[in-house]
Amino acid sequence: MKAEKRRREILSLLGNTDNPIPANTLKERFKVSRQVIVQDIAILRVGGYDITSTNRGYVLNGKAQASRVFKCRHTFDELVEEGALIIELGGRIEDIYVNHRVYGRISARLALHNRMHVEELYRSLVSGASKPLMSVTDGYHYHTVVADSEEILDEIESKLRERGFLIEI
């Protein structure tokens, strides 16, 4: 078995259980030395996977995440469409920021992880209590988007471009 395939299977095993998996169990399953398993875990950690070693075995704490900053521009009325597009493709909008010519970078944490979050943000802004941050820069703004893979971010980028929301940096 190739090392890359073995690492994917190790991730799959760790991701499908809440119980620690001992190195010896992995060693026997993949018919390799314990040292190979230790190296595989080290490589997976470098790749962004949060794997903890416990006295009972390895535990995967979460998926590796990819992130990318997108520069966008749209109208206030298109805010929900932009957010829904990103979320429905598997992204999570972590923040928004603008580069103001006088004040510099102004940012706000959003943590929009589902369509309901986007709609709540829109309702809050449409109430008139505050204006959207993008309004101070004529609709131009940046989002940090997190997803489970670069491929998902590529798809989000493609759809934002297709819709006319993406501004090439």
Side-chain angles (χ1 to χ4, degrees):
M1 174 180 289
K2 298 235 185 230
E4 203 170 299
K5 183 177 180 192
R6 182 179 60 247
R7 290 183 200 117
R8 280 196 308 270
E9 288 190 28
I10 289 171
L11 281 175
S12 178
L13 289 170
L14 292 172
N16 289 318
T17 184
D18 293 328
N19 299 317
I21 300 177
N24 284 335
T25 301
L26 295 171
K27 171 187 98 162
E28 291 168 14
R29 178 180 177 101
F30 296 109
K31 311 257 188 280
V32 295
S33 70
R34 189 174 191 288
Q35 185 57 35
V36 167
I37 297 298
V38 170
Q39 289 171 347
D40 284 343
I41 296 295
I43 290 168
L44 290 168
R45 285 177 176 152
V46 168
Y49 291 92
D50 184 12
I51 300 173
T52 302
S53 300
T54 71
N55 61 347
R56 294 178 42 230
Y58 296 111
V59 176
L60 179 63
N61 297 314
K63 290 183 176 180
Q65 294 186 340
S67 81
R68 192 174 299 171
V69 173
F70 296 109
K71 183 178 183 180
C72 298
R73 184 176 189 224
H74 54 76
T75 66
F76 176 70
D77 291 333
E78 294 168 322
L79 186 146
V80 172
E81 182 183 351
E82 176 207 41
L85 182 152
I86 292 168
I87 288 165
E88 287 168 9
L89 291 170
R92 295 172 301 283
I93 305 168
E94 295 301 311
D95 64 11
I96 183 172
Y97 66 91
V98 297
N99 288 323
H100 193 276
R101 291 185 183 194
V102 174
Y103 300 122
R105 182 176 169 160
I106 304 168
S107 65
R109 178 160 166 71
L110 293 177
L112 305 175
H113 297 177
N114 59 49
R115 189 178 178 109
M116 186 178 72
H117 291 157
V118 174
E119 290 169 358
E120 285 172 5
L121 172 66
Y122 181 78
R123 279 193 302 276
S124 295
L125 293 170
V126 84
S127 73
S130 293
K131 294 198 181 260
L133 193 54
M134 66 184 204
S135 68
V136 300
T137 55
D138 196 30
Y140 291 97
H141 60 284
Y142 299 82
H143 287 299
T144 305
V145 177
V146 175
D148 291 336
S149 71
E150 289 292 333
E151 291 79 16
I152 292 171
L153 293 173
D154 291 343
E155 180 69 14
I156 291 168
E157 183 173 329
S158 173
K159 294 296 183 185
L160 287 171
R161 182 179 292 113
E162 184 181 298
R163 183 56 188 85
F165 294 153
L166 186 70
I167 302 299
E168 304 295 335
I169 300 177

